[in-house]
Amino acid sequence: MTRGQLRVYLGAAPGVGKTYKMLEEGHRRHERGTDVVVGYVETHGRALTAAMAEGLEAVPRRDMTYRGAAFTELDLDAVLARAPQVALVDEMAHTNVPGSAHAKRWADIAALLDAGISVITTVNIQHIESLNDVVEQITGITQRETIPDSVVRAAEQIELVDMTPEALRRRMAHGNIYQADKVDAALGNYFRPGNLTALRELALLWLADKVDDQLERYRAEHGIQRTWEARERVVVALTGGPEGETLVRRAGRIADRTKGSDLLGVHVTRGDGLTGADPAHLARQRTMLEDIGGTYHGVVGDDIPRALLDFARGVNATQLVLGASRRGRFAQILSPGVGVTTTAESGSIDVHLVTHEQSRRGRLRSAPRAGVPTRRRTAGFLLAAIGLPLMTGGLSLLRDQLSLPSDILLFLAAVVGVALVGGLWPALAAAVVASLLLNWYFTPPFHEWTISDRENVLALVVFLVVAVAVAVAVELAARRTTEAARARAEAQILSTVAGGVLRGDRPLTALLDQLLEAFTLRGVTLLERRPDTPPGPDRQRDPDAWRIVATVGGQPCGAPSEGDVDVVVDDTLSLVLSGHPLAASDQRIVEAFAAQAAVALRQERLAEQAATAAPLAEVDRLRTALLRAVSHDLRSPLASATAAVSSLRSTEVAFSEADREELLATADESLERLGRLVENLLDMSRLQAGALGTRPEAFGVGEVVPRAVDDLGVRSLAVAVRTPHDLPDVYADPALVERILVNLLANALRYSPPDRPPMVTASAHAGRVQIRVIDHGPGIPESARDRVFLPFQRFGDRDNATGVGLGLALSRGLAEAMGGTLDPETTPGGGLTMTLSLPAATAGGAADPTGSGGSDGTVPGVPDGPATAEGPA
């Protein structure tokens, strides 16, 4: 079966016309003969949208009841049974009512697509998962209905329904989006011009990324190599040299000139893995590149210009930034170099050759290029000095038996032996000496420097060339072997460092420990110059100018001059090593350690800042939730009490005694609700601040349960109480226990069916007394049980008339403050049982020490959409 195709209408905000566009497309396809049905369309009471829906066949919705409220949802089974070619399904990010086939509507859409039905749907940019936090920062509103980016990006077609903020606000003011009583609040909050402009930009940029992905896929499928300048992409080539930071800054300025351009850094590594790049420079350049919003990439290639251009064309780059050659004039005469070659072959890509301080200073070597060790060179010279005379004497005795070519081959074998032992310079010396010996002793006329036969001249020249070539080849092989061994050692050290840092809780300390161990040092100290201290050579010896950021090993160094090695990380950081000086060949790897230490320090400080900001963000989130939640709960009892008192004080109406009693009862009940709300809020703030005081004492459960039931007023008549008389006393604060039971009973009464009222039971076990409040309502799924204990959460934050959302959160907090626990369980036969476990009192009145403790306090995230649990009271 062919999978259906998905078309998404994307909007920056509600009201831009996504549903209207969807219906318009449905009519267009219907007129072309396509079988189109309306699976679900939400008109939000908009007349134009409702009129556009007319004329299209609509599949009846599914009626559902949840917690006594009626809902209508997409009837997935009916649409599948109808099997149209195209289904119109509105609000892709919608959360379905519990009991539906899927939790989210986008899952319903996926089922339709799998069945071969094409779907046209709508979604707002604030529902995209990756943008959820950005939207919250812009609007101050948390979007709980989100949809994964991959689901939307998988659509075959995404069309942006765009509208300027001014036009959208005019539509709002004219009542074309919300009802008249909501317009002022919407215009002053979510629909502010700044909010709409930012959301519009988010939608455009997100869609641009989607289009860019489609373009890259099209180019790959059609094998298009040439650059299409649809978006500016700047690629900067990094060699690992000191000029790299200049190139990164220059490339960053070029990229900043065009809004939305991309910056990419690339380093080409030779195919044999041997590179002259400085790891410390590369690490610093990568950090700088990422700080300005770029990305770092590494490619492998022996032909650097070709590798650079292949990468640039692969990412559809428009500009390439290179550094001017560091080679001298003579070297540039022999070879044009990377910059000139890349420019000549770049085609449509603009190449920028940036000058820098290292231009034409020659290639910088971070360490001498090691070849054959000195001991072997000495052995080679000795072998040449002793072996060649001995060979000459022996061959002189065999002059009549051996021809000149045989003598040349034997001397060539001797030179190769010297090259294998001593490398280049002994072999060169041996080749020259051997050619002279051959000329003097074995080439006619003998014992003269002249050569009579031209072929002998050619033979001696070829001998000398071959001997020199062999010597050079042996030297290069020895050098490459040494470089490969060093590169392998460096890679192993850096791999060990990376693993240690990733596995450690403190990456900076782990990094310094690895450096200490790798080079057998006595101590390693990372110093930071104090902000009020200017740089200067005198400050290198002044301990007051520096502060120790991190140290491992022995006595830390207070200033850079106190160590054996001082590695400057940047303008403010210095890594000081003590124990012994380092070899010049080790300097490069130590600089890489230093660069990574700076990165680790930055990450630790960012983590500390994040940890500091997290409690503040949580406080701000709770404050925002509190303001939203209490708006109705404060206003309603105040309005009721004010209305009742005003009516009683009025002289225009004569109330009967019954009416006066009813008004007084209304005012009393409203003020009591207001008092409980304020008391709950104060206690919740004390709990969060750790300042709630308790007065524990020994008391019986039979004392507090009746008082809690009586506090519920008339509703308490439906509560059944079954508590044994032989229960041990509880050691807790009786007033707080009563408050907990009142909240639990009120919650149970709210969700219990009329014919099955809640019940209170109690039992004792293992030194604890357990009080259970049992109801037979909808219950709570096991996966969502802890979520109902979050403060200011009610039924998905959709209902402002059932309490501020503090009942269960406050109840658990009060229970834990007294050493107890409050846990939900499933009632046999359906429903919820809230179990309050408190320590039993001993004969002396203190808590039983054998009782178990409280909860760990872990609270998972809040679920999206309609709550699947009984909300707090």
Side-chain angles (χ1 to χ4, degrees):
M1 179 183 296
T2 303
R3 179 179 168 85
Q5 293 194 342
L6 176 63
R7 178 168 185 160
V8 178
Y9 284 98
L10 176 68
V16 295
K18 301 180 303 300
T19 303
Y20 191 90
K21 280 285 187 181
M22 179 186 71
L23 293 169
E24 194 176 58
E25 177 65 17
H27 276 287
R28 186 159 46 247
R29 297 197 183 193
H30 177 68
E31 292 169 1
R32 293 201 304 259
T34 304
D35 183 12
V36 180
V37 301
V38 175
Y40 187 96
V41 167
E42 183 59 69
T43 64
H44 296 287
R46 300 165 190 165
L48 294 177
T49 305
M52 180 57 71
E54 296 178 358
L56 293 175
E57 178 187 350
V59 176
R61 299 183 185 183
R62 181 184 179 188
D63 295 325
M64 302 183 68
T65 302
Y66 183 69
R67 292 183 177 176
F71 299 91
T72 60
E73 292 286 1
L74 168 70
D75 194 334
L76 178 61
D77 294 335
V79 177
L80 291 172
R82 171 63 176 76
Q85 291 177 284
V86 178
L88 309 183
V89 181
D90 208 1
E91 297 183 355
M92 190 180 190
H94 171 75
T95 301
N96 293 329
V97 173
S100 302
H102 301 99
K104 297 286 187 177
R105 184 165 292 164
W106 56 263
D108 294 336
I109 292 175
L112 294 175
L113 296 174
D114 291 338
I117 301 172
S118 295
V119 176
I120 304 176
T121 185
T122 64
V123 69
N124 281 328
I125 195 64
Q126 67 263 27
H127 297 300
I128 302 296
E129 180 68 41
S130 64
L131 302 177
N132 187 254
D133 56 340
V134 181
V135 173
E136 183 178 2
Q137 293 173 5
I138 294 171
T139 64
I141 298 174
T142 302
Q143 299 292 335
R144 302 199 178 279
E145 291 184 329
T146 59
I147 182 171
D149 293 49
S150 58
V151 174
V152 185
R153 288 187 182 277
E156 283 74 17
Q157 299 181 65
I158 301 179
E159 181 175 334
L160 179 67
V161 183
D162 191 29
M163 181 176 291
T164 64
E166 295 77 10
L168 185 58
R169 285 171 59 84
R170 281 198 300 271
R171 287 196 66 195
M172 174 73 70
H174 293 159
N176 294 332
I177 300 178
Y178 291 152
Q179 297 178 2
D181 59 339
K182 298 181 180 178
V183 169
D184 290 339
L187 291 175
N189 292 282
Y190 193 87
F191 286 81
R192 294 197 300 267
N195 289 0
L196 296 177
T197 302
L199 292 173
R200 188 186 186 199
E201 182 178 17
L202 279 180
L204 291 169
L205 291 175
W206 190 91
L207 187 60
D209 287 338
K210 164 68 175 177
V211 173
D212 195 56
D213 292 341
Q214 291 178 333
L215 177 61
E216 290 299 320
R217 189 161 54 248
Y218 177 84
R219 283 165 50 84
E221 291 172 354
H222 292 78
I224 300 173
Q225 297 295 328
R226 64 181 184 276
T227 300
W228 287 3
E229 298 184 11
R231 178 192 289 195
E232 287 289 342
R233 279 191 176 84
V234 182
V235 173
V236 54
L238 304 176
T239 64
E243 78 282 358
E245 296 182 7
T246 302
L247 300 183
V248 170
R249 294 190 183 97
R250 178 63 173 161
R253 290 195 295 271
I254 294 174
D256 286 341
R257 293 173 184 169
T258 305
K259 186 70 173 177
S261 60
D262 295 332
L263 176 61
L264 302 90
V266 58
H267 171 68
V268 180
T269 304
R270 283 171 49 179
D272 56 10
L274 304 178
T275 175
D278 190 322
H281 285 307
L282 270 181
R284 284 195 290 267
Q285 291 159 19
R286 178 173 185 171
T287 300
M288 177 184 293
L289 184 70
E290 293 172 348
D291 285 343
I292 63 177
T295 57
Y296 177 86
H297 306 268
V299 297
V300 177
D302 292 323
D303 188 342
I304 295 179
R306 181 177 297 276
L308 284 175
L309 290 174
D310 287 345
F311 174 81
R313 293 189 179 106
V315 298
N316 202 24
T318 56
Q319 302 188 61
L320 180 59
V321 179
L322 303 174
S325 177
R326 295 196 303 253
R327 303 182 311 147
R329 293 182 182 275
F330 181 74
Q332 292 184 28
I333 293 174
L334 297 178
S335 174
V338 174
V340 175
T341 305
T342 304
T343 304
E345 300 178 359
S346 62
S348 60
I349 301 176
D350 297 334
V351 179
H352 302 263
L353 283 178
V354 179
T355 59
H356 49 85
E357 295 180 354
Q358 304 298 329
S359 297
R360 295 188 176 180
R361 291 190 178 184
R363 294 185 181 273
L364 300 180
R365 305 292 184 188
S366 57
R369 298 180 66 181
V372 177
T374 304
R375 179 176 53 82
R376 286 180 55 188
R377 289 189 188 278
T378 303
F381 279 115
L382 290 174
L383 180 61
I386 297 172
L388 292 180
L390 291 176
M391 178 178 287
T392 301
L395 292 177
S396 297
L397 298 176
L398 301 174
R399 181 182 298 166
D400 296 335
Q401 301 177 21
L402 296 175
S403 63
L404 178 60
S406 299
D407 295 331
I408 291 175
L409 290 175
L410 290 173
F411 272 96
L412 180 59
V415 172
V416 170
V418 172
L420 291 174
V421 173
L424 178 61
W425 297 111
L428 290 178
V432 173
V433 172
S435 65
L436 294 175
L437 292 174
L438 282 168
N439 186 8
W440 184 263
Y441 288 101
F442 303 102
T443 306
F446 303 121
H447 306 298
E448 293 183 13
W449 295 114
T450 59
I451 303 174
S452 59
D453 191 345
R454 292 183 178 180
E455 290 187 3
N456 294 337
V457 174
L458 178 61
L460 289 177
V461 171
V462 171
F463 164 78
L464 184 61
V465 171
V466 171
V468 172
V470 170
V472 171
V474 171
E475 176 71 13
L476 289 176
R479 184 178 298 165
R480 286 298 180 91
T481 301
T482 304
E483 290 177 353
R486 172 162 291 278
R488 179 179 179 182
E490 291 179 357
Q492 186 174 2
I493 291 174
L494 292 176
S495 175
T496 304
V497 168
V501 170
L502 291 175
R503 289 190 296 268
D505 296 330
R506 299 291 303 275
L508 180 56
T509 303
L511 188 70
L512 298 185
D513 280 331
Q514 291 288 344
L515 180 58
L516 183 78
E517 179 182 347
F519 294 97
T520 61
L521 300 169
R522 186 176 66 249
V524 180
T525 306
L526 182 63
L527 298 176
E528 184 178 34
R529 183 182 291 109
R530 297 186 184 276
D532 55 346
T533 304
D538 296 338
R539 301 299 182 185
Q540 298 298 101
R541 300 178 178 276
D542 184 7
D544 295 332
W546 300 85
R547 70 181 188 89
I548 298 175
V549 176
T551 182
V552 295
Q555 180 68 24
C557 299
S561 61
E562 296 180 8
D564 295 297
V565 179
D566 173 24
V567 180
V568 178
V569 182
D570 54 30
D571 294 338
T572 59
L573 292 175
S574 183
L575 186 65
V576 184
L577 315 180
S578 60
H580 58 79
L582 291 178
S585 58
D586 292 331
Q587 187 73 17
R588 186 172 70 168
I589 194 70
V590 173
E591 289 181 353
F593 270 91
Q596 293 301 322
V599 174
L601 176 62
R602 183 181 65 172
Q603 296 298 332
E604 283 194 3
R605 288 180 172 174
L606 288 175
E608 291 174 358
Q609 293 176 4
T612 304
L616 298 178
E618 179 65 16
V619 170
D620 184 67
R621 187 189 69 79
L622 290 177
R623 184 185 297 113
T624 303
L626 170 63
L627 292 176
R628 294 175 188 165
V630 303
S631 59
H632 181 279
D633 296 270
L634 287 174
R635 189 165 55 245
S636 295
L638 281 175
S640 299
T642 301
V645 173
S646 299
S647 300
L648 289 172
R649 293 185 60 188
S650 174
T651 58
E652 298 177 358
V653 180
F655 292 102
S656 64
E657 189 64 26
D659 291 337
R660 291 176 61 84
E661 288 296 329
E662 184 177 353
L663 289 173
L664 286 173
T666 300
D668 182 65
E669 182 181 355
S670 300
L671 293 175
E672 185 179 356
R673 283 178 55 198
L674 185 61
R676 284 199 303 268
L677 172 62
V678 173
E679 190 175 4
N680 282 343
L681 290 173
L682 291 175
D683 283 346
M684 196 67 198
S685 64
R686 294 191 189 102
L687 275 175
Q688 292 177 343
L692 180 68
T694 61
R695 297 181 178 85
E697 60 181 69
F699 63 92
V701 173
E703 302 174 18
V704 295
V705 172
R707 291 203 302 266
V709 173
D710 291 341
D711 286 345
L712 296 173
V714 178
R715 295 182 298 167
S716 65
L717 299 176
V719 178
V721 179
R722 297 178 183 176
T723 57
H725 298 288
D726 56 350
L727 283 175
D729 287 347
V730 174
Y731 188 74
D733 188 325
L736 298 184
V737 173
E738 182 180 342
R739 290 190 59 191
I740 294 173
L741 294 175
V742 169
N743 284 332
L744 297 181
L745 286 169
N747 206 55
L749 285 167
R750 180 177 299 116
Y751 296 106
S752 294
D755 57 336
R756 304 189 70 180
M759 178 187 303
V760 180
T761 65
S763 63
H765 177 70
R768 302 184 71 82
V769 176
Q770 296 176 337
I771 306 174
R772 294 179 177 84
V773 178
I774 305 169
D775 68 57
H776 298 278
I780 301 176
E782 187 173 353
S783 60
R785 285 179 177 173
D786 279 342
R787 300 177 184 175
V788 296
F789 293 101
L790 288 173
F792 315 125
Q793 302 296 326
R794 291 181 313 271
F795 194 24
D797 281 348
R798 292 176 177 232
D799 179 11
N800 285 331
T802 57
V804 72
L806 279 176
L808 292 183
L810 180 60
S811 297
R812 171 172 275 188
L814 295 177
E816 293 174 353
M818 296 183 294
T821 60
L822 180 62
D823 299 301
E825 300 174 359
T826 301
T827 302
L832 177 68
T833 297
M834 298 297 295
T835 303
L836 173 64
S837 177
L838 297 169
T842 61
D848 186 350
T850 62
S852 59
S855 170
D856 62 358
T858 303
V859 181
V862 184
D864 295 335
T868 56
E870 298 185 4

